[in-house]
Amino acid sequence: MSARLAPRPLPSVLLLGGVPIAAWFIIRPFIDPFPPLPTLYTSFGFSLVALLATLYTIPAVGPAFIRANLKGVDLLKRDKTPIPESQGLVGASIYILLLILFIPFAFSDAISGAAAAKTVEGLSVIEFPHYQLSVYLSSLLSLLIATVLGFLDDVFDIRWRHKIPIPIIASIPLLMVYYAERGNTHVVVPMPLRFMFGTLVNLGPLYYIYMSLLSTFATNSFNILAGINGSEVSQALIIALSVILNDLLYLPWPLDFRIPLYLLGSSADVEVGGVWSAGMSYGSRQLVERHLFSLYFMLPLVAVCAGFMYHNWYPARAFPGDTLCYVTGMAFAVVGIQAHFSKTLLLFFIPQIFNFVLSCPQLFGLVPCPRHRVPRIDHETNLLHPSKALFLTPPTKLSSAVLRTLAALGLTELTVHPNTGTILEANNLTILNWFLLRLGPMNEKRLVQVLMCSQVAGSVLAFVVRYGLAGLVYDGNRR
């Protein structure tokens, strides 16, 4: 490879210092005095292992991927030196492997016999948490299916119309366990609508359709917001950090603080912590277990994404491929469904929802949709400009109406025939091209930084909506 694409250096002190620290966190729960939430220590230790493994494995296996013809070129660079593609397979493998190794630690109390025992006809029987184990294993199975199907997509370049059902297939184990355990399908109706529907509405099968569509959206939303170095993995990293922050609010902490939600229009503040049975779970063991489950999946995901981002940052030394998008999206679907906060999870996808809605005219055939909708590079200035979708034939009345509406809203820019007014071309409908339209040309590194800022802003807005504005339409403590 050229000097520009040489692997980024990794200091030896990182490995020498990181391994002992990770090992200490893994074994800390077995050292007296035993810490509260001991398994969380082990999960954090495994996450450090995931970070180190990703950092050092990606450059090590890159040449093997190139020899296997799993390579690509950067469309926005002059240098067309092959770059290892489908490296998301490496991150996904590390992620799933460590989740498997974590199983004995997650259920160590039950395995060691420390769980509560009951007497049945004179015999002492340990109550093993079979339900929690089935939830964990079904989640792993969904992640494995997503990895396999994502890698098949990388190898065979599956068409969009065939990609849609892939996440639905991967979500089947999740939905089956949810159904087998008689998962709740009721939703709370907002107060303004209760005069029509009552307080609760049982969606029944529609709820399962909603959950399968959630997995489809979470998986494909990263795939359609891609094309520049660091875009896919940075989105996943920020969303995972947002989910972790949300989970931490529900854990029992010895610290006491208040969130002044009255500033956002809520009628009361939220008190977090104070005693070990507190947190926003307010003593609910079930809520604590749900958010611990989420943390067990999100902590190593953050580690893998952070390690991968080091090599995928501009200028990229490795490409994630579709595999990383599938696995990260399915991981979010797993925690959203199994930990029962799917609506909160969707709030963290505000930029992805905006990008999807903006992309709909192209995704559904109203506007020509090229194979790549990445911005256009001006090699003389190294600045990116909005790329264009060309109309080889005059657009239909519906297409023209949609595009003119989007142009009036400042979401796209049209080129029209000077005499007939017929639309000749329009900006490709992605959030990246919209950023360039509104903020002007910028280099690739700057554009991904803008994307990351929008993702952070979306997460901040999500917390405001979830813990502030939601109190205006829901009564009680909507956890």
Side-chain angles (χ1 to χ4, degrees):
M1 291 192 292
S2 67
R4 186 183 70 83
L5 296 176
R8 286 193 171 94
L10 290 167
S12 56
V13 67
L14 181 64
L15 186 63
L16 295 176
V19 171
I21 294 174
W24 184 87
F25 274 100
I26 292 174
I27 66 173
R28 176 62 185 87
F30 304 99
I31 301 175
D32 193 24
F34 304 113
L37 304 177
T39 315
L40 196 56
Y41 282 73
T42 303
S43 179
F44 186 77
F46 274 113
S47 300
L48 292 178
V49 174
L51 173 63
L52 295 173
T54 305
L55 283 171
Y56 285 90
T57 305
I58 292 291
V61 302
F65 274 67
I66 291 179
R67 289 194 298 270
N69 205 34
L70 293 172
K71 58 186 178 181
V73 295
D74 199 323
L75 299 176
L76 301 179
K77 307 290 191 304
R78 285 183 181 273
D79 189 350
K80 300 305 179 184
T81 302
I83 297 175
E85 181 70 88
S86 307
Q87 294 283 276
L89 178 64
V90 179
S93 302
I94 293 171
Y95 178 57
I96 294 174
L97 175 61
L98 290 178
L99 285 176
I100 293 173
L101 294 176
F102 179 67
I103 293 176
F105 297 90
F107 298 92
S108 57
D109 285 347
I111 293 174
S112 64
K118 64 179 181 180
T119 302
V120 179
E121 296 183 357
L123 299 176
S124 180
V125 180
I126 299 297
E127 290 186 335
F128 189 87
H130 293 284
Y131 167 63
Q132 287 88 341
L133 180 61
S134 65
V135 167
Y136 195 100
L137 294 180
S138 67
S139 301
L140 280 178
L141 182 57
S142 291
L143 290 171
L144 283 168
I145 295 173
T147 301
V148 172
L149 296 177
F151 186 64
L152 289 176
D153 190 3
D154 281 333
V155 174
F156 297 107
D157 196 16
I158 301 174
R159 293 183 177 274
W160 270 104
R161 61 177 175 269
H162 300 141
K163 286 184 180 183
I164 299 300
I166 289 178
I168 298 177
I169 296 172
S171 67
I172 289 176
L174 296 177
L175 302 182
M176 285 304 301
V177 170
Y178 194 88
Y179 174 78
E181 297 298 331
R182 299 179 180 178
N184 185 25
T185 57
H186 290 79
V187 295
V188 180
V189 179
M191 289 186 291
L193 301 178
R194 289 182 184 176
F195 72 96
M196 292 189 296
F197 303 104
T199 304
L200 292 175
V201 172
N202 184 14
L203 297 181
L206 293 178
Y207 196 81
Y208 289 91
I209 295 175
Y210 158 72
M211 289 190 291
S212 64
L213 293 178
L214 172 66
S215 65
T216 301
F217 172 76
T219 300
N220 288 309
S221 61
F222 298 136
N223 226 350
I224 64 175
L225 210 177
I228 60 175
N229 295 167
S231 58
E232 301 99 319
V233 68
S234 63
Q235 297 171 68
L237 176 62
I238 294 171
I239 293 176
L241 288 171
S242 302
V243 173
I244 287 175
L245 178 58
N246 183 69
D247 290 330
L248 292 177
L249 294 176
Y250 289 84
L251 297 188
W253 299 106
L255 304 176
D256 185 13
F257 63 92
R258 292 176 179 268
I259 303 176
L261 292 184
Y262 68 88
L263 298 176
L264 302 175
S266 180
S267 59
D269 296 346
V270 171
E271 183 176 357
V272 179
V275 293
W276 281 111
S277 61
M280 290 186 66
S281 296
Y282 301 108
S284 170
R285 180 182 179 88
Q286 186 180 49
L287 277 177
V288 172
E289 289 178 347
R290 287 176 180 175
H291 287 279
L292 279 175
F293 172 87
S294 175
L295 284 170
Y296 297 157
F297 278 76
M298 288 294 102
L299 286 173
L301 183 65
V302 164
V304 168
C305 288
F308 193 92
M309 192 171 179
Y310 181 76
H311 300 291
N312 187 232
W313 189 250
Y314 178 90
R317 271 71 168 179
F319 290 153
D322 293 323
T323 308
L324 186 71
C325 298
Y326 277 66
V327 171
T328 54
M330 186 54 62
F332 292 128
V334 161
V335 299
I337 293 172
Q338 304 287 35
H340 299 269
F341 59 87
S342 59
K343 295 187 292 296
T344 301
L345 177 68
L346 277 176
L347 290 175
F348 295 131
F349 280 78
I350 291 176
Q352 286 71 29
I353 294 173
F354 175 83
N355 184 67
F356 172 74
V357 173
L358 181 61
S359 299
C360 279
Q362 287 190 296
L363 297 179
F364 294 102
L366 294 178
V367 178
C369 187
R371 176 71 177 85
H372 297 287
R373 299 188 297 163
V374 296
R376 174 177 57 86
I377 179 72
D378 182 350
H379 289 295
E380 297 300 324
T381 61
N382 199 34
L383 297 179
L384 299 181
H385 300 261
S387 58
K388 303 286 185 178
L390 304 178
F391 286 88
L392 301 179
T393 58
T396 64
K397 292 183 178 180
L398 177 59
S399 298
S400 297
V402 170
L403 286 173
R404 293 186 190 279
T405 301
L406 293 176
L409 295 174
L411 299 175
T412 189
E413 187 176 55
L414 306 178
T415 302
V416 299
H417 194 281
N419 297 326
T420 64
T422 303
I423 298 175
L424 301 177
E425 60 182 17
N427 289 356
N428 280 311
L429 302 175
T430 68
I431 194 173
L432 296 178
N433 286 307
W434 180 68
F435 284 147
L436 294 170
L437 174 65
R438 306 311 304 174
L439 303 178
M442 63 185 78
N443 60 42
E444 186 175 355
K445 183 178 180 180
R446 179 68 173 173
L447 182 57
V448 75
Q449 290 172 341
V450 171
L451 175 63
M452 293 174 67
C453 289
S454 71
Q455 194 72 58
V456 172
S459 292
V460 172
L461 178 60
F463 279 105
V464 171
V465 172
R466 172 62 183 84
Y467 296 105
L469 301 182
L472 301 178
V473 292
Y474 290 104
D475 56 350
N477 180 31
R478 296 261 52 84
R479 299 194 292 269

